[in-house]
Amino acid sequence: MIPGTFEYHQPDTVQAALALLNELGDDARVLAGGHSLIPMMKLRLAMPEHLIDLRLINDLKFIRIESEMVHVGAMTTQHELIDHAELAQRVPIIRETSLQIGDPQIRYQGTIGGNVANGDPGNDMPGLMQCLDATFTLLGADGEREVPAREFYEAAYFTARDDMEILTSIRFPVSSGGYAYEKQKRKIGDYATAAAAVLLRKADDGSSCAFASIAMTNLADTPIYCEDASQLLQDQGVTDSSIEAAVDSCIASIEPVDDNRGPVEFKKHAAAQITRRAIKTAWSRT
Amino acid sequence: MSASAPTMKERQAALKGLGTSRKRVEDARFTQGKGNYVDDIKLPGMLYGDFVRSQHAHAYVKSIDTSAALALPGVIAVLTAKDLEPLNLHWMPTLAGDKQMVLADGKVLFQGQEVAFVVAESRYIAADAIDLVQVEYEELQVLVDPFKAELPGAPVLREDIADATEGAHGPRRHPNHIFTWEMGEKEATESILDSAPVVAEEMVYYHRTHPCPLETCGSVASMDKVNGKLTLYGTFQAPHVVRTVASLLSGIAEHNIRVVSPDIGGGFGNKVGVYPGYVCSIVASIVTGLPVKWVEDRMENLMSTAFARDYWMQGKIAATEDGKILGLWCHTTADHGAFDACADPTKFPAGFMNICTGSYDIGTAYLAVDGIYTNKAPGGVAYRCSFRVTEAAYFIERMIEVLAIKLNMDAAELRLKNFIRKEQFPYHSALGWEYDSGDYHTAWNKALEAVKYTELRAEQAEKVKAFKAGETRQLMGIGLCHFTEIVGAGPVKNCDILGMGMFDSCEIRIHPTGSAIARLGTISQGQGHATTFAQILASEIGIPADDITIEEGDTDTAPYGLGTYGSRSTPVAGAATAMAGRKIRAKAQMIAAYLLEVHDNDVEWEVDRFVVKGAPERFKTMQEIAYASYNQAIPGVEPGLEAVSYYDPPNMTYPFGAYICVMDIDVDTGTTSIRQFYALDDCGTRINPMIIEGQVHGGLTEALAIALGQEIAYDELGNVKTGTLMDFFIPTAWETPNYTTDYTETPSPHHPIGAKGVGESPNVGGVPCFSNAINDAFRPFGLTHTHMPHDHWRIWQTANKLGLHD
């Protein structure tokens, strides 16, 4: 549990961080909250020779809500997300999810950027970002580019981000309607055994479903955006039978693995129950 | 007398003696981060050690190349078994009469085993260097299932003793077999099983887990080559025994070894044994002449130091048709890992497993335990229990439930029918113990009434109906447990560790101004000894607890004792404290009588003073007596006021308790929610009710952890699957339910103040209570028994097998 030797850098601008990253190349890693990278380093599963800590870069810490779009700086902590009154009102699922990440100490340190950029299938924010149809901004030597969250994750710890890019900000639309983030875990601080993010909006007729979005966490080596299930609820409305059909569709799209949280059959069954609950809760909040 | 003179009641209260919820005096430093733990110790020139550990569970070590590590600047030495062999320290004796490799001697027998010890100028260099040590292994077939240990073709693990047909505990029938221990009457029990109207059978597995104290194990050894003295700081629950063992192993005279246990951040049995790290830090300090620190990290702690439990208990229980128990039979397969390093009194290779008749009057019983080697870490410590008492309590409390199912009887009623009755004490159990005291019916009825048991059962029946009607996916479980412990080891005539009788001790000095210091042979690891032992003394000698310093853990100053584990501190050292206090009081009586110019027998004790009989206005307080003992020449009395007592308990003590848990279970997710937990403890005389409550809360939370998910699991190749706190379950405040605590008070008849010990009761009683709640929830659907740990997926699997997801 003692990391190898590394140089520690603390740039105070994004440009300086990017310059360092490009100068140091593959030997460098960008450090946000450190909850994934530092344990990996202590286990010597990661042995970067240079750590570029982004914490002094104030430009990466912001929450702005402008013209129905939320912009969040990558170094915004989960605590800051929880604490932001307007965000809690305009996109309440952010607060509900953040409160289920780690524990208060972790949330003071953990950042949204680190959570989405690392590509750890256990992290909660990637699934949520897919549910919200968020867009990530990546800054590289050639300037900025944008990647939708739904296209960002390739495999566990593999993402569309190039090693020489820094994920600087995230944007997603405000969401009216019902929401739910349901997460089953073994204890506080644990990754999900199964988790589901659901957004639903009622149509003007007061009964049919105008909008649905479902994504799932830690049930495959990437987050799973359940496009078919979302479309199904939108087409058929939210009824007992459509919920079951949507849940079946979700479960068909996941690929959980057997681990200490349980065997595959259990995970599928629990995930179905979690998703069912999330849909019902979200619909009850519309 | 002035109007403001305190009343006797006020004087009593001022002492903060027995029965007072005195605040813990230790907490000021602990809550401010001012504790002094082993890892806080920094000595000039200190070096740091780290282990190269085996990634294989079973392999020959073909070669070890240390050259690259030694070439790293800052590396001072790399020790291997070859370096320890000339000192005869490459192996060391275990507490259980076996021996254990200090560093891999030709082969490794479990994942995480110590292979080489790197000593470097900094902790970081040591960590870098272990990666540079090249070890060549030849992998061998791995044995993880104790039931396959004696099958043809099973690999022989302990080649060093493969041909030994006799072990420390009698004959061995196979190279992977350690011992067979038998108690009770085999034939008589089996004949009852053959003829009894009802016999219930079950295999009850108490899985492998780990005490996992917050502070891991560690030591700092400092060999002073000038004066030949070795000082050893370490996480030791038994510092005096460590000194003796260190002397015997190293050849350094015992007076030249000083062992210090500083503050210890939890022990729970993990810090009773002797670990290779301690030995290596000593050798490294002797070799280098500099202090050497070794502190393991969390993963090393979970992987290599002292697991607990891992007992497969095959049980048979016989009864009449109306539920009178006739006999109990148990065969245990004990998975001991690679070395038998169990921490038990020498004559008890399976600890006090023979308390497994529990709280019940069972006339005939038989117990056999087979110890087996596997490719797992050694240990078998008493994790917050008195030497396998937890396994015994879990076994009998599960068997009672299994029998209740067979009889189609309420399990609470079955217990009432079979409890040892109050008038039967002292009670001689079929497996050889003399229970000192108890009143089980009173405790049990109080518990049933407190939770409104009848109403709970009615509610549960409604819930089952609703479940079957498809109205809910939740089940309700009612967990019952009535446990009897055996603690306070123990009488020297049958209890020893490495030949040292399990007495304990207290030495008291009263200062001239009437304050005092007392030193004991035990060592607190969070139990609050500095608080409670002062309270015992306050009541015995009339000096306020606030004026009494308690010291433990430094073998240069404290009297010899066997340490703190197995709930033995209060029953043994607490008794020594009271007895030493009584010696002080006896001398004080002579001094008081002299000062008051009356005969010794003409004064009597009153709270904090001696009073002339019939003349209450004539008295001498302990403060006055203490001062006189130092400044007056009293004929026939030595100056000073000191006493020492070494206490050899005449018997164990037998705390008991009645626990009830109400739990809701979601059959689809396997999640549980504890609605209510009621814990009634009878620990005899209660010294500090607040500390008792804290002990019960802590122990129940550990029990919750064990029952609901905490385990050390291995895959079929012997890889540890639960090596970090991500997977090894430690509950936080969030997972911890509210507990309702209650008590009855049945003093121990043989203990000077009637106290029995309480630290371990909640773990011993809590585990079966939580587990019984899970099992009980599924009883209406045909379940007889399901193994712990009851984590989400296993509960789900139980529901699944019962068809509850169809």
Side-chain angles (χ1 to χ4, degrees):
Chain A
M1 299 292 273
I2 304 279
T5 306
F6 59 89
E7 289 286 324
Y8 177 73
H9 306 269
Q10 225 177 12
D12 55 8
T13 67
V14 188
Q15 287 309 325
L18 193 65
L20 271 171
L21 185 59
N22 282 279
E23 174 197 333
L24 300 168
D26 288 345
D27 297 333
R29 287 288 301 269
V30 162
L31 178 71
H35 285 307
S36 299
L37 183 55
I38 301 291
M40 299 281 263
M41 289 170 63
K42 286 184 169 187
L43 294 169
R44 300 198 176 209
L45 294 173
M47 292 190 68
E49 289 175 25
H50 298 273
L51 267 193
I52 303 168
D53 190 346
L54 304 182
R55 87 168 61 202
L56 291 189
I57 304 175
N58 287 328
D59 288 351
L60 295 180
K61 272 182 173 288
F62 59 84
I63 300 172
R64 282 196 305 270
I65 303 176
E66 299 162 354
S67 44
E68 304 303 295
M69 192 60 80
V70 180
H71 302 263
V72 182
M75 288 300 287
T76 306
T77 65
Q78 277 123 22
H79 172 74
E80 287 160 347
L81 294 174
I82 290 166
D83 213 30
H84 198 279
E86 194 186 352
L87 184 62
Q89 195 218 328
R90 302 299 301 277
V91 195
I93 196 170
I94 291 282
R95 186 166 193 275
E96 179 155 297
T97 306
S98 300
L99 280 169
Q100 296 182 65
I101 295 174
D103 56 46
Q105 286 181 319
I106 286 173
R107 298 194 294 256
Y108 286 127
Q109 189 81 7
T111 64
I112 188 169
N115 197 292
V116 301
N118 198 39
D120 185 336
N123 285 348
D124 292 285
M125 285 295 177
L128 177 61
M129 291 301 126
Q130 293 196 341
C131 179
L132 285 165
D133 198 12
T135 302
F136 302 153
T137 300
L138 303 168
L139 180 66
D142 301 330
E144 279 187 355
R145 67 181 179 115
E146 295 189 330
V147 180
R150 292 176 188 173
E151 293 166 19
F152 187 71
Y153 298 96
E154 295 164 354
Y157 304 103
F158 285 92
T159 67
R161 185 183 67 86
D162 185 85
D163 284 347
M164 295 299 107
E165 288 179 315
I166 296 173
L167 190 151
T168 53
S169 70
I170 296 159
R171 69 163 197 273
F172 47 85
V174 298
S175 56
S176 57
Y179 65 93
Y181 193 75
E182 280 277 339
K183 179 179 181 182
Q184 177 171 348
K185 55 192 171 189
R186 296 172 298 181
K187 64 170 179 178
I188 282 293
D190 194 14
Y191 291 134
T193 301
V198 176
L199 291 172
L200 295 172
R201 198 163 61 240
K202 263 191 189 136
D204 293 341
D205 64 11
S207 59
S208 55
C209 178
F211 171 78
S213 179
I214 304 173
M216 306 186 74
T217 291
N218 214 18
L219 292 161
D221 68 348
T222 64
I224 297 291
Y225 170 60
C226 304
E227 191 174 2
D228 293 347
S230 306
Q231 192 64 48
L232 192 149
L233 290 180
Q234 224 164 286
D235 293 347
Q236 300 183 11
V238 181
T239 63
D240 284 352
S241 62
S242 75
I243 290 175
E244 288 313 308
V247 167
D248 286 348
S249 166
C250 288
I251 300 310
S253 64
I254 60 175
E255 289 175 1
V257 292
D258 184 347
D259 61 18
N260 284 343
R261 291 182 183 81
V264 170
E265 284 311 302
F266 158 70
K267 285 189 176 180
K268 286 188 170 176
H269 192 115
Q273 185 67 359
I274 291 296
T275 309
R276 194 176 287 123
R277 267 187 213 160
I279 294 171
K280 287 181 178 173
T281 302
W283 190 243
S284 74
R285 286 168 169 172
T286 53
Chain B
M1 199 180 284
S2 74
S4 63
T7 64
M8 202 191 304
K9 216 173 162 185
E10 287 165 345
R11 280 161 37 213
Q12 192 109 43
L15 295 179
K16 300 187 187 168
L18 294 182
T20 309
S21 283
R22 181 185 183 218
K23 285 193 178 163
R24 286 166 40 107
V25 296
E26 299 92 334
D27 287 349
R29 72 175 187 279
F30 292 152
T31 55
Q32 294 178 58
K34 303 287 186 191
N36 182 40
Y37 298 91
V38 168
D39 208 16
D40 292 321
I41 292 168
K42 292 182 178 67
L43 301 177
M46 190 167 74
L47 305 175
Y48 298 81
D50 199 356
F51 278 113
V52 176
R53 292 178 182 275
S54 170
Q55 71 268 38
H56 302 293
H58 196 195
Y60 287 128
V61 176
K62 305 299 283 182
S63 67
I64 304 175
D65 180 356
T66 62
S67 54
L70 284 167
L72 187 71
V75 173
I76 306 296
V78 182
L79 302 178
T80 65
K82 278 201 177 70
D83 302 302
L84 301 184
E85 196 172 352
L87 304 165
N88 201 27
L89 286 173
H90 55 318
W91 289 72
M92 62 180 184
T94 69
L95 296 179
D98 194 0
K99 56 178 185 164
Q100 174 178 352
M101 287 182 223
V102 173
L103 291 171
D105 182 22
K107 74 186 294 195
V108 289
L109 288 160
F110 65 94
Q111 189 182 54
Q113 186 177 334
E114 300 80 0
V115 174
F117 189 69
V118 170
V119 184
E121 286 170 359
S122 83
R123 183 68 189 84
Y124 288 87
I125 295 172
D128 289 344
I130 60 171
D131 285 348
L132 299 175
V133 175
Q134 301 293 320
V135 185
E136 190 191 338
Y137 295 97
E138 179 189 329
E139 288 184 61
L140 296 167
Q141 188 190 337
V142 174
L143 174 68
V144 291
D145 181 349
F147 293 100
K148 293 182 178 163
E150 296 169 63
L151 296 181
V156 172
L157 307 194
R158 292 290 300 279
E159 292 171 68
D160 58 305
I161 50 167
D163 300 329
T165 52
E166 193 75 19
H169 307 294
R172 300 171 66 222
R173 60 172 185 245
H174 185 278
N176 294 330
H177 173 250
I178 310 170
F179 64 84
T180 300
W181 189 54
E182 287 182 283
M183 296 293 281
E185 300 171 90
K186 184 169 194 278
E187 280 173 23
T189 308
E190 286 174 355
S191 121
I192 286 173
L193 290 170
D194 286 343
S195 61
V198 180
V199 176
E201 268 193 73
E202 193 56 67
M203 170 63 97
V204 177
Y205 179 45
Y206 197 141
H207 59 289
R208 178 176 280 238
T209 181
H210 193 283
C212 196
L214 274 185
E215 180 204 27
T216 58
C217 298
S219 58
V220 178
S222 179
M223 184 73 207
D224 184 331
K225 288 197 165 178
V226 176
N227 62 22
K229 281 216 167 221
L230 170 69
T231 305
L232 181 63
Y233 304 88
T235 47
F236 307 132
Q237 288 181 241
H240 301 273
V241 182
V242 168
R243 186 187 69 193
T244 304
V245 173
S247 175
L248 293 172
L249 285 181
S250 68
I252 300 171
E254 200 165 356
H255 72 280
N256 277 333
I257 301 176
R258 176 184 171 215
V259 174
V260 181
S261 292
D263 284 330
I264 297 185
F268 313 113
N270 189 222
K271 293 165 181 170
V272 172
V274 173
Y275 296 120
Y278 303 158
V279 177
C280 287
S281 68
I282 294 171
V283 173
S285 182
I286 292 171
V287 170
T288 62
L290 290 167
V292 176
K293 177 187 278 188
W294 165 75
V295 177
E296 61 179 2
D297 67 29
R298 177 64 57 199
M299 292 173 73
E300 292 178 295
N301 177 254
L302 287 173
M303 209 192 309
S304 69
T305 44
F307 77 91
R309 326 294 193 229
D310 215 343
Y311 261 31
W312 292 89
M313 300 173 285
Q314 180 72 42
K316 297 176 193 175
I317 189 164
T320 61
E321 269 159 12
D322 62 353
K324 174 69 191 125
I325 300 172
L326 301 171
L328 180 72
W329 182 98
C330 176
H331 179 271
T332 295
T333 301
D335 185 339
H336 283 237
F339 308 98
D340 185 5
C342 289
D344 292 316
T346 306
K347 297 186 189 76
F348 297 87
F352 302 154
M353 179 64 195
N354 56 328
I355 192 76
C356 66
T357 53
S359 309
Y360 311 101
D361 182 13
I362 302 176
T364 312
Y366 169 71
L367 165 71
V369 181
D370 277 313
I372 303 293
Y373 289 126
T374 60
N375 287 122
K376 299 177 192 168
V381 298
Y383 172 5
R384 202 165 183 157
C385 89
S386 182
F387 313 117
R388 305 289 185 181
V389 169
T390 309
E391 289 89 328
Y394 184 63
F395 170 73
I396 184 64
E397 288 303 297
R398 283 299 309 137
M399 289 309 293
I400 289 286
E401 297 277 324
V402 169
L403 177 62
I405 291 167
K406 187 101 180 178
L407 292 164
N408 196 24
M409 187 185 267
D410 181 272
E413 188 193 329
L414 179 61
R415 285 180 173 84
L416 268 174
K417 192 164 242 171
N418 287 285
F419 282 143
I420 299 162
R421 294 185 315 278
K422 192 179 173 183
E423 64 274 15
Q424 286 177 282
F425 291 98
Y427 173 83
H428 292 267
S429 78
L431 292 175
W433 296 113
E434 182 189 314
Y435 291 34
D436 66 346
S437 59
D439 183 358
Y440 302 160
H441 289 87
T442 300
W444 193 241
N445 285 323
K446 190 174 181 183
L448 295 181
E449 215 164 287
V451 301
K452 298 196 173 69
Y453 180 68
T454 314
E455 291 168 34
L456 283 176
R457 284 292 178 203
E459 185 189 347
Q460 185 187 34
E462 285 301 312
K463 197 106 194 211
V464 169
K465 222 185 278 174
F467 184 90
K468 287 180 173 166
E471 293 158 17
T472 177
R473 295 297 287 164
Q474 290 216 328
L475 296 175
M476 171 178 166
I478 303 170
L480 304 176
C481 173
H482 191 288
F483 63 92
T484 294
E485 272 198 289
I486 171 168
V487 307
V492 172
K493 63 177 186 286
N494 58 4
C495 289
D496 72 274
I497 284 186
L498 294 174
M500 309 307 299
M502 295 182 73
F503 59 84
D504 228 290
S505 60
C506 175
E507 182 187 285
I508 306 169
R509 292 181 194 175
I510 312 293
H511 306 313
T513 53
S515 63
I517 183 165
R519 296 189 172 97
L520 295 95
T522 45
I523 175 70
S524 187
Q525 309 124 39
Q527 292 89 341
H529 289 178
T531 308
T532 51
F533 286 138
Q535 290 182 254
I536 295 175
L537 266 186
S539 286
E540 291 290 340
I541 63 175
I543 290 175
D546 290 346
D547 294 346
I548 302 170
T549 297
I550 301 289
E551 260 187 28
E552 304 172 301
D554 184 337
T555 59
D556 266 8
T557 55
Y560 205 99
L562 270 279
T564 294
Y565 43 85
S567 272
R568 66 182 301 279
S569 296
T570 294
V572 191
T577 304
M579 299 307 272
R582 286 171 196 182
K583 289 183 186 176
I584 295 277
R585 212 162 86 184
K587 185 172 178 182
Q589 181 168 4
M590 290 191 275
I591 297 169
Y594 172 80
L595 296 174
L596 291 162
E597 298 178 334
V598 295
H599 192 272
D600 287 358
N601 292 333
D602 291 335
V603 293
E604 61 186 355
W605 179 250
E606 189 200 278
V607 183
D608 55 359
R609 61 193 59 179
F610 278 100
V611 177
V612 176
K613 287 178 186 168
E617 72 287 356
R618 295 188 61 209
F619 61 83
K620 288 290 169 190
T621 65
M622 271 307 280
Q623 275 68 25
E624 293 170 311
I625 295 165
Y627 197 62
S629 77
Y630 285 92
N631 79 348
Q632 293 211 24
I634 302 170
V637 178
E638 286 180 5
L641 196 50
E642 300 190 6
V644 57
S645 171
Y646 279 71
Y647 187 81
D648 177 10
N651 190 4
M652 311 280 188
T653 60
Y654 296 76
F656 62 93
Y659 291 178
I660 299 176
C661 170
V662 185
M663 198 183 282
D664 294 305
I665 296 168
D666 183 311
V667 300
D668 288 315
T669 57
T671 52
T672 53
S673 158
I674 292 148
R675 206 195 286 179
Q676 182 182 3
F677 197 104
Y678 170 89
L680 178 151
D681 274 285
D682 192 319
C683 57
T685 302
R686 291 154 53 85
I687 298 166
N688 183 322
M690 181 196 73
I691 285 186
I692 292 172
E693 195 180 9
Q695 289 268 32
V696 172
H697 282 214
L700 286 176
T701 304
E702 280 178 334
L704 168 95
I706 296 167
L708 298 189
Q710 185 180 88
E711 66 172 326
I712 296 290
Y714 290 85
D715 69 12
E716 66 279 7
L717 293 175
N719 297 306
V720 183
K721 290 164 69 184
T722 49
T724 75
L725 296 188
M726 171 70 87
D727 291 312
F728 184 85
F729 178 39
I730 302 274
T732 68
W734 187 264
E735 289 80 26
T736 304
N738 283 315
Y739 303 117
T740 305
T741 57
D742 202 348
Y743 68 99
T744 54
E745 198 161 344
T746 312
S748 166
H750 61 77
H751 187 278
I753 62 166
K756 295 182 175 179
V758 74
E760 300 172 338
S761 296
N763 197 323
V764 170
V767 171
C769 191
F770 286 115
S771 181
N772 281 348
I774 301 282
N775 279 280
D776 180 72
F778 292 106
R779 178 176 168 176
F781 302 90
L783 181 74
T784 309
H785 174 81
T786 185
H787 290 316
M788 293 191 292
H790 306 298
D791 46 12
H792 297 168
W793 72 266
R794 286 182 174 97
I795 291 175
W796 176 87
Q797 209 166 47
T798 298
N800 195 262
K801 280 184 187 156
L802 293 171
L804 302 186
H805 299 142
D806 299 341

